[in-house]
Coordinates of all heavy atoms in Angstrom, one line a residue:
M570 N -10.1 -3.0 -23.5 CA -9.4 -1.9 -22.8 C -9.4 -2.1 -21.4 O -10.6 -2.1 -20.8 CB -9.8 -0.5 -23.3 CG -9.0 0.6 -22.8 SD -9.6 2.1 -23.5 CE -8.9 3.4 -22.3
K571 N -8.3 -2.1 -20.7 CA -8.3 -2.2 -19.3 C -8.6 -0.9 -18.5 O -8.2 0.1 -19.0 CB -6.9 -2.8 -18.8 CG -6.8 -4.3 -19.0 CD -5.6 -4.8 -18.1 CE -5.5 -6.2 -18.2 NZ -4.4 -6.8 -17.5
N572 N -9.4 -1.1 -17.5 CA -9.9 0.2 -16.8 C -9.2 0.3 -15.4 O -9.4 1.1 -14.6 CB -11.4 0.2 -16.6 CG -11.9 1.6 -16.5 OD1 -11.2 2.5 -16.8 ND2 -13.1 1.6 -15.9
K573 N -8.3 -0.7 -15.1 CA -7.7 -0.8 -13.8 C -6.5 0.2 -13.7 O -5.7 0.3 -14.6 CB -7.2 -2.2 -13.5 CG -8.2 -3.0 -12.7 CD -7.5 -4.3 -12.2 CE -8.5 -5.1 -11.5 NZ -7.9 -6.4 -11.1
E574 N -6.5 0.9 -12.6 CA -5.4 1.8 -12.3 C -4.4 1.1 -11.4 O -4.9 0.7 -10.3 CB -5.9 3.1 -11.7 CG -6.7 4.0 -12.7 CD -7.3 5.2 -12.0 OE1 -6.8 5.5 -10.9 OE2 -8.2 5.8 -12.6
R575 N -3.2 1.1 -11.7 CA -2.2 0.4 -10.8 C -1.4 1.4 -10.1 O -0.9 2.5 -10.6 CB -1.4 -0.6 -11.7 CG -2.2 -1.7 -12.2 CD -1.4 -2.8 -12.5 NE -0.3 -2.6 -13.3 CZ 0.7 -3.4 -13.8 NH1 0.5 -4.7 -13.5 NH2 1.6 -3.1 -14.6
Y576 N -1.0 1.1 -8.9 CA -0.3 2.0 -8.0 C 0.9 1.2 -7.4 O 0.8 0.0 -7.1 CB -1.1 2.6 -6.9 CG -2.2 3.6 -7.4 CD1 -3.3 3.1 -8.0 CD2 -1.9 4.9 -7.3 CE1 -4.2 4.0 -8.5 CE2 -2.9 5.8 -7.9 CZ -4.0 5.3 -8.4 OH -4.9 6.2 -8.9
K577 N 1.9 2.0 -7.1 CA 3.0 1.5 -6.3 C 2.8 2.1 -4.9 O 2.6 3.3 -4.8 CB 4.4 2.0 -6.9 CG 5.6 1.5 -6.0 CD 6.8 2.2 -6.6 CE 8.0 2.1 -5.7 NZ 9.1 2.9 -6.1
V578 N 2.7 1.2 -4.0 CA 2.4 1.7 -2.6 C 3.6 1.3 -1.7 O 4.1 0.2 -1.6 CB 1.2 0.9 -2.0 CG1 0.8 1.4 -0.7 CG2 0.0 1.2 -3.0
T579 N 4.1 2.4 -1.0 CA 5.2 2.2 -0.1 C 4.7 2.4 1.3 O 4.1 3.4 1.6 CB 6.4 3.2 -0.3 OG1 6.7 3.0 -1.7 CG2 7.6 2.8 0.5
V580 N 4.9 1.4 2.1 CA 4.4 1.5 3.5 C 5.6 1.4 4.5 O 6.4 0.5 4.5 CB 3.5 0.2 3.8 CG1 3.0 0.3 5.3 CG2 2.3 0.1 2.8
Y581 N 5.6 2.5 5.4 CA 6.6 2.5 6.4 C 5.9 2.3 7.7 O 5.0 2.9 8.0 CB 7.3 3.9 6.5 CG 8.1 4.3 5.2 CD1 7.6 5.0 4.2 CD2 9.5 3.9 5.2 CE1 8.3 5.3 3.0 CE2 10.2 4.2 4.1 CZ 9.7 4.9 3.0 OH 10.4 5.2 2.0
C582 N 6.6 1.3 8.4 CA 6.0 1.1 9.8 C 6.5 2.1 10.8 O 7.7 2.3 10.9 CB 6.5 -0.4 10.2 SG 5.9 -0.8 11.9
N583 N 5.6 2.8 11.5 CA 6.1 3.7 12.5 C 6.6 3.1 13.7 O 7.2 3.7 14.6 CB 4.8 4.6 12.9 CG 4.6 5.6 11.9 OD1 5.3 5.9 11.0 ND2 3.4 6.3 12.0
Q584 N 6.3 1.8 13.9 CA 6.7 1.1 15.2 C 8.1 0.5 15.1 O 8.9 0.7 16.0 CB 5.7 0.0 15.5 CG 5.8 -0.5 16.8 CD 4.5 -1.3 17.2 OE1 3.5 -0.7 17.5 NE2 4.5 -2.6 17.1
C585 N 8.5 -0.1 14.0 CA 9.8 -0.7 14.0 C 10.7 -0.2 12.8 O 11.9 -0.6 12.7 CB 9.7 -2.2 13.8 SG 9.1 -2.9 12.2
G586 N 10.1 0.6 11.9 CA 10.8 1.2 10.8 C 10.9 0.3 9.6 O 11.6 0.7 8.6
E587 N 10.3 -0.8 9.5 CA 10.3 -1.8 8.4 C 9.6 -1.0 7.2 O 8.7 -0.2 7.4 CB 9.5 -3.0 8.7 CG 9.6 -4.1 7.6 CD 11.0 -4.6 7.4 OE1 11.6 -5.1 8.3 OE2 11.5 -4.5 6.2
R588 N 10.0 -1.4 6.0 CA 9.5 -0.8 4.7 C 9.0 -1.9 3.8 O 9.7 -2.8 3.6 CB 10.5 0.1 4.1 CG 10.0 0.8 2.9 CD 11.1 1.6 2.2 NE 12.1 0.7 1.5 CZ 13.0 1.0 0.7 NH1 13.1 2.3 0.4 NH2 13.8 0.1 0.2
Y589 N 7.8 -1.6 3.2 CA 7.2 -2.6 2.3 C 6.9 -1.8 1.0 O 6.3 -0.8 1.0 CB 5.9 -3.1 2.8 CG 6.1 -4.0 4.1 CD1 6.1 -3.2 5.4 CD2 6.5 -5.3 4.2 CE1 6.3 -3.9 6.5 CE2 6.6 -6.0 5.3 CZ 6.6 -5.3 6.6 OH 6.8 -6.0 7.7
I590 N 7.3 -2.5 -0.1 CA 6.9 -1.9 -1.4 C 5.9 -2.9 -2.1 O 6.3 -4.0 -2.3 CB 8.1 -1.7 -2.3 CG1 9.0 -0.6 -1.6 CG2 7.7 -1.1 -3.6 CD1 10.4 -0.4 -2.3
L591 N 4.7 -2.3 -2.3 CA 3.6 -3.2 -2.8 C 3.0 -2.7 -4.0 O 3.2 -1.5 -4.4 CB 2.5 -3.2 -1.7 CG 3.0 -3.6 -0.3 CD1 1.9 -3.0 0.8 CD2 3.2 -5.0 -0.1
R592 N 2.3 -3.6 -4.7 CA 1.4 -3.2 -5.9 C 0.1 -3.1 -5.5 O -0.5 -3.9 -4.7 CB 1.5 -4.3 -7.0 CG 2.8 -4.3 -7.7 CD 2.8 -3.4 -8.9 NE 4.1 -3.4 -9.6 CZ 4.4 -4.2 -10.6 NH1 3.4 -5.1 -11.0 NH2 5.5 -4.2 -11.2
G593 N -0.6 -1.9 -5.8 CA -2.0 -1.8 -5.5 C -2.9 -1.5 -6.6 O -2.4 -1.0 -7.6
N594 N -4.1 -2.0 -6.5 CA -5.2 -1.7 -7.5 C -6.2 -0.7 -6.9 O -6.6 -0.9 -5.7 CB -5.8 -3.0 -7.9 CG -5.0 -3.8 -8.7 OD1 -4.3 -3.4 -9.6 ND2 -4.9 -5.1 -8.3
R595 N -6.7 0.2 -7.7 CA -7.7 1.1 -7.2 C -9.0 0.5 -7.3 O -9.4 0.0 -8.4 CB -7.6 2.4 -8.0 CG -8.5 3.4 -7.4 CD -8.3 4.8 -8.0 NE -9.1 5.8 -7.4 CZ -8.8 7.1 -7.4 NH1 -7.7 7.5 -7.9 NH2 -9.7 7.9 -6.9
L596 N -9.8 0.5 -6.3 CA -11.1 -0.1 -6.3 C -12.1 1.0 -6.7 O -11.8 2.2 -6.7 CB -11.5 -0.6 -4.9 CG -10.6 -1.6 -4.3 CD1 -11.0 -2.0 -2.8 CD2 -10.4 -2.8 -5.1
K597 N -13.4 0.5 -7.1 CA -14.4 1.4 -7.5 C -14.7 2.4 -6.4 O -15.3 3.5 -6.6 CB -15.7 0.7 -7.8 CG -15.5 0.0 -9.1 CD -16.8 -0.9 -9.4 CE -16.6 -1.6 -10.9 NZ -17.7 -2.5 -11.1
T598 N -14.5 2.0 -5.1 CA -14.7 2.9 -4.0 C -13.7 4.0 -3.8 O -13.9 4.9 -3.0 CB -14.7 2.1 -2.6 OG1 -13.4 1.4 -2.5 CG2 -15.9 1.0 -2.6
G599 N -12.6 3.9 -4.6 CA -11.6 4.9 -4.5 C -10.4 4.5 -3.6 O -9.3 5.1 -3.5
E600 N -10.5 3.3 -2.9 CA -9.5 2.8 -2.0 C -8.5 2.1 -2.8 O -8.7 1.6 -3.9 CB -10.1 1.9 -1.0 CG -11.0 2.4 0.1 CD -11.5 1.3 1.0 OE1 -10.8 0.9 1.9 OE2 -12.6 0.8 0.6
I601 N -7.2 2.1 -2.3 CA -6.1 1.4 -3.0 C -6.0 0.0 -2.2 O -5.6 0.0 -1.1 CB -4.8 2.2 -2.9 CG1 -5.0 3.6 -3.4 CG2 -3.7 1.4 -3.7 CD1 -5.2 3.7 -4.9
E602 N -6.2 -1.0 -2.9 CA -6.2 -2.3 -2.4 C -4.8 -3.0 -2.6 O -4.4 -3.2 -3.7 CB -7.2 -3.3 -3.0 CG -7.1 -4.7 -2.6 CD -7.3 -5.0 -1.1 OE1 -8.2 -4.3 -0.5 OE2 -6.6 -5.8 -0.6
T603 N -4.1 -3.3 -1.5 CA -2.8 -3.9 -1.6 C -2.7 -5.3 -1.0 O -1.9 -6.1 -1.3 CB -1.7 -3.1 -0.9 OG1 -2.0 -3.1 0.5 CG2 -1.6 -1.7 -1.4
G604 N -3.7 -5.6 -0.1 CA -3.6 -6.9 0.6 C -2.8 -6.9 1.8 O -2.7 -7.8 2.5
F605 N -2.1 -5.8 2.0 CA -1.3 -5.6 3.2 C -2.1 -5.6 4.5 O -3.1 -4.8 4.6 CB -0.5 -4.2 3.1 CG 0.5 -4.1 4.2 CD1 1.7 -4.8 4.2 CD2 0.2 -3.2 5.3 CE1 2.6 -4.6 5.3 CE2 1.1 -3.0 6.3 CZ 2.4 -3.7 6.3
K606 N -1.8 -6.5 5.4 CA -2.5 -6.5 6.7 C -1.8 -5.9 7.9 O -2.4 -5.1 8.6 CB -2.8 -8.0 7.0 CG -3.7 -8.6 5.9 CD -5.2 -8.3 6.2 CE -6.1 -9.2 5.4 NZ -6.0 -9.0 4.0
Q607 N -0.6 -6.4 8.1 CA 0.1 -6.0 9.2 C 1.6 -6.1 9.1 O 2.1 -6.9 8.2 CB -0.3 -6.6 10.5 CG 0.0 -8.1 10.5 CD -0.2 -8.8 11.9 OE1 -1.3 -8.6 12.4 NE2 0.6 -9.5 12.4
C608 N 2.4 -5.4 9.9 CA 3.9 -5.5 9.9 C 4.3 -6.8 10.6 O 3.6 -7.3 11.4 CB 4.5 -4.2 10.5 SG 6.3 -4.2 10.4
I609 N 5.6 -7.1 10.4 CA 6.1 -8.3 11.1 C 6.2 -8.0 12.6 O 6.3 -9.0 13.4 CB 7.6 -8.6 10.6 CG1 8.4 -7.4 10.6 CG2 7.5 -9.3 9.2 CD1 9.9 -7.7 10.3
C610 N 6.2 -6.8 13.0 CA 6.2 -6.4 14.5 C 4.7 -6.4 15.1 O 4.5 -6.0 16.2 CB 6.9 -5.1 14.7 SG 6.0 -3.7 14.1
N611 N 3.8 -6.9 14.3 CA 2.4 -7.0 14.7 C 1.7 -5.6 14.8 O 0.5 -5.5 15.1 CB 2.2 -7.6 16.1 CG 2.6 -9.1 16.1 OD1 2.3 -9.7 15.0 ND2 3.2 -9.6 17.1
N612 N 2.3 -4.6 14.3 CA 1.6 -3.3 14.1 C 0.6 -3.3 13.0 O 0.9 -3.8 11.9 CB 2.7 -2.2 13.8 CG 2.1 -0.9 13.5 OD1 1.0 -0.6 13.8 ND2 2.9 -0.1 12.7
E613 N -0.6 -3.0 13.3 CA -1.7 -3.0 12.3 C -2.3 -1.7 11.9 O -3.1 -1.6 11.0 CB -2.9 -3.9 12.8 CG -2.6 -5.3 13.0 CD -3.7 -6.1 13.5 OE1 -4.8 -5.5 13.8 OE2 -3.6 -7.3 13.6
S614 N -1.8 -0.6 12.5 CA -2.4 0.7 12.3 C -1.5 1.9 12.2 O -1.9 2.9 11.6 CB -3.5 1.0 13.4 OG -2.8 0.9 14.7
K615 N -0.3 1.8 12.7 CA 0.6 2.9 12.7 C 1.6 2.9 11.5 O 2.7 2.3 11.6 CB 1.3 3.1 14.0 CG 0.4 3.5 15.2 CD 1.1 3.5 16.4 CE 1.2 2.1 17.0 NZ 1.8 1.9 18.3
F616 N 1.1 3.4 10.4 CA 2.0 3.4 9.2 C 2.0 4.8 8.5 O 1.0 5.6 8.6 CB 1.4 2.4 8.2 CG 1.4 1.0 8.6 CD1 0.2 0.4 9.0 CD2 2.5 0.3 8.7 CE1 0.1 -0.8 9.5 CE2 2.5 -1.1 9.2 CZ 1.2 -1.6 9.6
H617 N 3.1 5.0 7.7 CA 3.2 6.1 6.8 C 3.0 5.4 5.4 O 3.7 4.5 5.1 CB 4.4 6.9 6.8 CG 4.5 7.9 7.8 ND1 3.6 8.9 8.1 CD2 5.5 8.1 8.8 CE1 4.0 9.6 9.1 NE2 5.1 9.1 9.6
I618 N 2.0 5.8 4.7 CA 1.7 5.2 3.4 C 1.8 6.2 2.2 O 1.2 7.3 2.3 CB 0.3 4.5 3.4 CG1 0.3 3.5 4.5 CG2 0.0 3.9 2.0 CD1 -1.1 2.9 4.7
F619 N 2.7 5.8 1.2 CA 2.8 6.7 0.1 C 2.4 5.9 -1.1 O 2.7 4.8 -1.4 CB 4.3 7.1 -0.1 CG 4.8 7.9 1.0 CD1 5.6 7.3 2.0 CD2 4.6 9.3 1.1 CE1 6.1 8.0 3.1 CE2 5.1 10.0 2.2 CZ 5.8 9.4 3.1
T620 N 1.5 6.5 -2.0 CA 1.1 5.9 -3.2 C 1.6 6.7 -4.4 O 1.6 7.9 -4.4 CB -0.4 5.8 -3.2 OG1 -1.1 7.0 -3.2 CG2 -1.0 4.9 -2.1
E621 N 1.9 5.9 -5.4 CA 2.4 6.5 -6.6 C 1.8 5.8 -7.8 O 1.8 4.5 -7.9 CB 4.0 6.3 -6.7 CG 4.7 6.8 -7.8 CD 6.2 6.5 -7.7 OE1 6.7 6.3 -6.6 OE2 6.9 6.3 -8.7
R622 N 1.2 6.5 -8.7 CA 0.5 6.0 -9.9 C 1.5 5.4 -10.8 O 2.6 6.1 -11.1 CB -0.2 7.2 -10.6 CG -0.9 6.7 -11.8 CD -2.4 6.4 -11.5 NE -3.0 5.9 -12.7 CZ -3.9 6.6 -13.5 NH1 -4.2 7.8 -13.2 NH2 -4.4 6.1 -14.5
L623 N 1.2 4.2 -11.4 CA 2.0 3.6 -12.4 C 1.3 3.7 -13.8 O 0.2 3.4 -13.8 CB 2.3 2.1 -12.0 CG 3.0 1.8 -10.8 CD1 3.0 0.2 -10.5 CD2 4.5 2.3 -10.9
G624 N 2.1 3.9 -14.7 CA 1.6 4.0 -16.1 C 0.4 4.8 -16.3 O -0.6 4.3 -16.8
Ligands
ZN1899 ZN1 6.8 -2.9 12.2

């Protein structure tokens, strides 16, 4: 039985308006890991992030 919780993560860049739709896994620490690092405009910190539980 799998214990991983999967999430759909939508990231909006506040700097240029780009949108990313990612898959995320919930870590034991409670964080959602997506591997997302930065936007194409080099913004690394100014985002709106929405997470949605899958299945
Ligand atoms: Zn951007």
Side-chain angles (χ1 to χ4, degrees):
M570 187 174 161
K571 280 191 175 181
N572 205 20
K573 268 189 179 176
E574 295 176 13
R575 297 202 306 181
Y576 290 81
K577 176 185 167 188
V578 182
T579 308
V580 179
Y581 292 95
C582 176
N583 282 349
Q584 194 161 284
C585 74
E587 187 64 57
R588 185 183 66 169
Y589 300 89
I590 298 175
L591 309 159
R592 285 273 179 87
N594 291 315
R595 186 171 181 154
L596 306 178
K597 287 177 181 175
T598 58
E600 287 178 89
I601 309 290
E602 172 61 42
T603 61
F605 183 80
K606 294 279 193 296
Q607 67 173 47
C608 184
I609 50 170
C610 70
N611 294 325
N612 171 21
E613 292 180 355
S614 58
K615 289 174 281 182
F616 300 104
H617 279 307
I618 299 172
F619 299 97
T620 57
E621 184 183 329
R622 178 99 185 254
L623 295 175

